[in-house]
């Protein structure tokens, strides 16, 4: 297209996208498909950035009530573990009551709940079974666990679940939904455990670094639901096991957060005399 500048009498050439002359030279930069791809990439980067920052929003919120669910699937068998409690993101500590499934040989008879204390660098479990006296606690150093306690305790540490999203990539916005009456934005993507470990806070970094070695792949598919304040309301993360687990075994961990700012009682760690030092016969679940 030619446009004449009447004021100066000069002729200026303006090439519009879609003209015959421009097709060969400017197809990449001006085509509708190219523009759409650029917009999509920009949207994906913005979504990933928001998901990565959700852990910071939780720390600003202070505390929250927690619901957890962990489902293990292997060889067609599914086992679910559920928990509830309160978590303080400022101190990276909290307490959960975890319900185990019925014993296979005693259907309809639920096991005693496990009490878990989550603390920086450690997981404490009481009423764990497996030969541990009912009045004793088991202490586990999270950085020494092959999965960094993402699944070992039957509930993912809420801060670890959020910090894991710091490695988010390939994120797509799935639209708005309502969760417990709250409007949330739904994102779906992949998070990388190694990238998350490098970007995480000092409290979660060592455990996530350990988790790099505990799964078949560092890539963890996730669904994340964020509220208007950018706080993580729900995270669903799917892990693939390594280390001798049956081929195809997987764990889906769901963490739900609500009632932000709830008063969180100071978590008291067990005394040394109350921690079991003997041999643990087998896993709790």
């Amino acid at each position: 297209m030619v446009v004449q500048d009447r004021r100066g009498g000069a002729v200026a050439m303006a090439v519009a996208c879609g003209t015959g002359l421009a097709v060969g030279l400017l197809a990449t930069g001006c085509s509708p498909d190219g523009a759409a791809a650029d917009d999509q990439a920009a949207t994906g980067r913005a979504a990933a950035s928001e998901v990565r920052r959700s852990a910071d929003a939780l720390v600003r919120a202070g505390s929250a009530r927690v619901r957890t669910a962990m489902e293990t699937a292997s060889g067609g068998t599914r086992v679910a573990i559920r928990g509830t409690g309160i978590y303080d993101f400022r101190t990276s500590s909290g307490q959960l009551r975890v319900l185990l499934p019925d014993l296979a040989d005693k259907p309809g008879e639920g096991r005693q709940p496990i009490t878990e204390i989550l603390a920086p660098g450690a997981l404490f479990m009481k009423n764990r079974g497996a030969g541990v006296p009912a009045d004793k606690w088991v202490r586990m150093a999270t950085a020494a666990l092959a999965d960094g306690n993402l699944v070992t305790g039957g509930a993912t540490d809420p801060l670890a679940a959020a910090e894991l999203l710091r490695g988010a990539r390939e994120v797509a916005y799935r639209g708005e939904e309502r969760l417990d009456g709250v409007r949330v934005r739904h994102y779906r993507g992949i998070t990388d455990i190694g990238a998350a470990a490098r970007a995480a806070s000092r409290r979660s970094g060592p455990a996530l670094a350990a988790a790099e070695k505990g799964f078949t792949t560092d890539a963890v598919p996730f669904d994340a639901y964020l509220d208007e304040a950018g706080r993580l309301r729900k995270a669903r993360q799917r892990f693939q096991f390594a280390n001798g687990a049956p081929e195809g075994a997987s764990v889906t961990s769901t963490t739900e957060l609500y009632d932000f700012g709830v008063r969180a009682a100071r978590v008291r760690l067990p005394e040394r005399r109350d921690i079991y030092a003997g041999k643990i016969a087998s896993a709790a679940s």
Side-chain angles (χ1 to χ4, degrees), residues 17-269:
C17 293
T19 62
L21 288 174
V23 169
L25 298 175
L26 302 178
T28 302
C30 296
S31 71
D33 289 344
D38 289 344
D39 288 345
Q40 187 174 9
T43 300
R45 288 193 296 270
S49 179
E50 184 169 6
V51 169
R52 291 171 190 152
R53 294 196 304 267
S54 60
D56 298 325
L58 292 180
V59 174
R60 290 193 297 271
S63 61
R65 295 189 188 276
V66 184
R67 284 191 297 261
T68 69
M70 188 166 286
E71 185 177 83
T72 302
S74 177
T77 300
R78 294 182 179 273
V79 178
I81 301 172
R82 302 186 186 281
T84 56
I86 295 177
Y87 193 90
D88 189 328
F89 293 95
R90 294 162 299 191
T91 61
S92 305
S93 61
Q95 185 165 314
L96 299 177
R97 183 174 182 265
V98 177
L99 300 175
L100 300 174
D102 294 344
L103 294 168
D105 58 343
K106 296 180 180 179
E109 296 185 21
R111 306 189 207 183
Q112 288 293 329
I114 292 177
T115 299
E116 294 188 1
I117 291 178
L118 307 170
L123 166 68
F124 298 86
M125 306 175 74
K126 189 175 184 180
N127 199 25
R128 185 180 187 276
V132 180
D135 62 339
K136 293 291 185 181
W137 292 86
V138 174
R139 182 189 186 280
M140 300 179 182
T142 52
L145 297 172
D147 71 315
N149 193 35
L150 290 175
V151 300
T152 290
T156 303
D157 181 302
L159 182 60
E163 295 255 38
L164 180 57
L165 297 176
R166 292 192 188 275
R169 55 183 172 84
E170 301 178 28
V171 181
Y173 175 57
R174 307 291 291 182
E176 286 192 350
E177 300 180 22
R178 296 196 76 84
L179 188 64
D180 291 335
V182 176
R183 183 174 296 174
V184 295
R185 296 184 297 278
H186 179 191
Y187 298 96
R188 178 173 294 167
I190 303 291
T191 189
D192 183 273
I193 299 176
R198 292 187 290 274
S201 67
R202 287 181 295 177
R203 291 174 177 173
S204 301
L208 291 177
E212 281 191 86
K213 308 166 188 175
F215 299 99
T216 304
T217 173
D218 280 0
V220 178
F222 72 85
D223 285 87
Y225 302 78
L226 277 57
D227 64 16
E228 292 182 353
R231 300 173 300 198
L232 184 67
R233 288 276 179 166
K234 180 178 178 179
R236 183 181 296 112
Q237 297 161 332
R238 292 169 285 280
F239 304 94
Q240 287 293 128
F241 270 122
N243 299 339
E247 184 177 355
S250 64
V251 173
T252 299
S253 175
T254 303
T255 304
E256 296 183 71
L257 303 168
Y258 61 104
D259 200 6
F260 289 103
V262 63
R263 182 177 179 182
R266 183 177 179 182
V267 174
R268 296 183 60 183
L269 301 183

